[in-house]
Amino acid sequence: MSLSIGIVGLPNVGKSTLFNALLKQQAALAANYPFATIEPNVGIVPVPDERLAVLAKIVNTSVIKPATVEFVDIAGLVRGASKGEGLGNKFLANIREANAIVHVVRAFADSGIIREGSTNPQEDLAIIRMELQLADLATLEKQHPPKGKAEKEELLRFEIVQNFIKRLNNGQNIRLNNGELSEEEEWVAKELGLLTSKKELFVLNIAEEDLGENKVDGLTEKFATELNLPKESVIVMCNKIESELSSLSDEDQALYLEELGLKESGLARLIKSAYQVLGLQSFLTAGELEVRAWTIKQGAKAPQAAGVIHTDFEKKFIKANVVSFEDFVEFSGWKGVKEVGRLRLEGKDYVMKDGDVVEFMIGS
């Protein structure tokens, strides 16, 4: 499955700096993805996964293809955007298909960088959310009640539309604090491309001097409390540092992060948070041609996982050879796990686990 995240924020909050860091990551990835058409406002970046290099050594391949995330940069979001200010509704179309929205919120003080339309993180977020809510209201208010003798499904759809309007008029998102919607609500929200029905992540862009050992965790707690947000959706980072990190080699990145007292980059934490918030996981394939990670929903069954590789595979699925990543490493690959009886033959009802190494058997 394709994972797409829309980036929104007011001017001068560090959104472009973050996106530039993503573009540098994309440039490093491009060699493995020559088929990817990359637009100027789209960055396709790898999902950090240290397991892939380990698998590549075991199966003796140099080709590693990580799972990817597509970040869509939305320019021109200002107060009044829902009514045509700035780029107006042009920015909305770019994120209607996104799986989630990342709000970039300014949490640094710099008198040299003008604040446009806000004075603090709370107001930044309030303005962004209001514009998205107003855009959704404009979409919903164009919906009309069913005419004549309506089907049950049509009546339910319009009832959901009315409930959505009530939430928005109360200043609430359609989806509250990354909670769940009913199956019917999800369908209506997706059909109409409603922005506030998407799950959210929040990047708090801090100053370089605020980074450091043990500071990020404390600031994450602080901002989650102050902004009334789920902690797992808050990512504290310095976008300027991220841009510098992304231009370094892996070895130099590790040294720089160590100097800063950080275990991993903000971009890595952002992507991992996206997986957590969206309920995603990865399974792995390992052969002589390539080692690769694939993104699936938590709870996906083996045929659905096969369908991520190729849509026909889900229909023609027969069985799957499955082994845990840990066993694959401990017993040195496919031959080793077969010899010790750790390779499992799973059927259509098998629920995939994160890190499963898989070979699918597909019918003709």
Side-chain angles (χ1 to χ4, degrees):
M1 62 177 288
S2 172
L3 175 57
S4 176
I5 296 176
I7 306 174
V8 299
L10 298 176
N12 298 337
V13 297
K15 190 161 60 72
S16 295
T17 307
L18 172 62
F19 192 68
N20 288 339
L22 292 166
L23 289 180
K24 290 176 185 176
Q25 293 277 23
Q26 172 182 280
L29 181 73
N32 274 338
Y33 285 83
F35 52 83
T37 301
I38 301 171
E39 299 176 21
N41 67 330
V42 176
I44 298 174
V45 300
V47 176
D49 196 332
E50 296 174 353
R51 298 173 297 193
L52 295 175
V54 177
L55 291 181
K57 287 183 181 179
I58 293 171
V59 298
N60 195 30
T61 183
S62 59
V63 181
I64 295 175
K65 293 187 177 180
T68 58
V69 180
E70 178 183 273
F71 285 91
V72 183
D73 183 35
I74 312 304
L77 179 55
V78 296
R79 190 190 294 272
S82 59
K83 297 178 181 178
E85 297 294 330
L87 293 181
N89 290 331
K90 291 181 181 179
F91 81 91
L92 299 176
N94 292 327
I95 52 174
R96 290 200 187 277
E97 298 303 315
N99 301 100
I101 289 176
V102 172
H103 298 272
V104 180
V105 180
R106 175 171 170 169
F108 63 89
D110 188 336
S111 58
I113 300 177
I114 298 169
R115 282 190 179 272
E116 292 197 24
S118 72
T119 57
N120 53 55
Q122 288 86 346
E123 191 175 346
D124 272 16
L125 184 56
I127 291 171
I128 298 168
R129 276 187 156 168
M130 181 180 67
E131 293 303 325
L132 298 182
Q133 288 166 4
L134 289 171
D136 280 351
L137 265 176
T139 299
L140 290 164
E141 287 172 349
K142 293 174 184 175
Q143 306 302 305
H144 302 291
K147 294 181 179 179
K149 192 176 180 180
E151 296 290 332
K152 182 180 177 181
E153 290 78 10
E154 292 178 292
L155 292 170
L156 176 59
R157 180 187 181 279
F158 191 66
E159 182 184 341
I160 289 170
V161 166
Q162 290 176 304
N163 288 335
F164 284 171
I165 289 173
K166 286 179 185 176
R167 290 182 205 176
L168 293 166
N169 279 329
N170 288 330
Q172 298 175 322
N173 279 0
I174 286 169
R175 187 188 301 272
L176 298 174
N177 280 340
N178 288 340
E180 299 303 319
L181 299 177
S182 70
E183 187 176 334
E184 294 81 8
E185 287 176 327
E186 290 278 10
W187 185 86
V188 174
K190 187 173 182 180
E191 177 205 5
L192 296 175
L194 299 177
L195 303 168
T196 67
S197 71
K198 299 180 185 299
K199 292 196 174 181
E200 299 174 304
L201 296 152
F202 306 87
V203 167
L204 275 296
N205 183 17
I206 63 173
E208 183 176 347
E209 57 267 24
D210 291 330
L211 279 176
E213 195 169 3
N214 301 322
K215 286 186 178 181
V216 168
D217 286 345
L219 286 171
T220 301
E221 292 269 8
K222 173 180 178 290
F223 286 121
T225 300
E226 289 180 358
L227 298 172
N228 191 28
L229 300 172
K231 181 182 172 184
E232 65 273 11
S233 66
V234 175
I235 304 95
V236 173
M237 67 170 82
C238 174
N239 293 357
K240 181 182 176 183
I241 292 292
E242 294 302 317
S243 186
E244 294 172 2
L245 276 168
S246 61
S247 63
L248 301 176
S249 67
D250 290 346
E251 294 78 11
D252 288 341
Q253 277 191 32
L255 288 171
Y256 194 6
L257 287 169
E258 188 177 348
E259 286 178 18
L260 294 168
L262 298 173
K263 295 177 183 176
E264 56 187 348
S265 71
L267 292 182
R269 287 185 284 113
L270 172 57
I271 293 171
K272 288 181 179 179
S273 293
Y275 263 59
Q276 182 180 356
V277 166
L278 293 170
L280 302 175
Q281 63 185 22
S282 295
F283 73 89
L284 313 170
T285 53
E288 292 180 359
L289 294 179
E290 67 176 28
V291 164
R292 189 160 181 167
W294 306 84
T295 302
I296 54 174
K297 284 276 189 184
Q298 293 173 10
K301 293 185 178 180
Q304 294 171 301
V308 171
I309 297 176
H310 194 289
T311 51
D312 286 348
F313 288 5
E314 183 170 359
K315 300 173 187 175
K316 299 177 181 180
F317 174 90
I318 300 174
K319 294 283 184 181
N321 285 320
V322 182
V323 60
S324 71
F325 168 77
E326 292 77 13
D327 282 348
F328 195 92
V329 173
E330 182 177 354
F331 299 106
S332 303
W334 294 113
K335 183 179 178 182
V337 294
K338 287 176 186 175
E339 290 174 350
V340 298
R342 294 297 180 93
L343 187 65
R344 308 187 311 275
L345 188 62
E346 302 287 1
K348 292 183 178 180
D349 291 330
Y350 176 69
V351 177
M352 300 290 292
K353 297 179 178 64
D354 184 65
D356 277 344
V357 186
V358 190
E359 284 182 328
F360 293 108
M361 286 170 271
I362 306 299
S364 57

